[in-house]
């Protein structure tokens, strides 16, 4: 996980997970709309997991 991705996940979480698939983007987008902190936490968790 690069520093750029961490900064991007704090500023706009759905954009940080764009390469993880549509499902990840939708989950993070919904959580971001419900509250900024849940979206940031979800983005950081998704980015911390290795690509499958």
């Amino acid at each position: 996980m690069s520093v750029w991705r961490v900064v991007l996940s704090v500023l706009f979480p759905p954009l940080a997970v764009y390469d993880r698939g549509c499902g990840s983007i939708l989950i993070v987008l919904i959580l971001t709309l419900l509250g900024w902190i849940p979206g940031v936490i979800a983005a950081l968790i998704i980015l911390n997991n290795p690509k499958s």
Side-chain angles (χ1 to χ4, degrees):
M1 182 167 40
S2 67
V3 175
W4 170 248
R5 286 286 177 105
V6 173
V7 171
L8 195 56
S9 67
V10 170
L11 296 177
F12 190 66
L15 191 58
V17 295
Y18 71 92
D19 64 341
R20 300 297 174 128
C22 185
S24 296
I25 294 172
L26 288 176
I27 290 170
V28 173
L29 180 64
I30 291 169
L31 286 172
T32 302
L33 291 175
L34 292 174
W36 176 72
I37 292 175
V40 170
I41 292 171
L44 290 173
I45 289 172
I46 290 172
L47 289 175
N48 197 26
N49 292 333
K51 282 186 181 180
S52 51

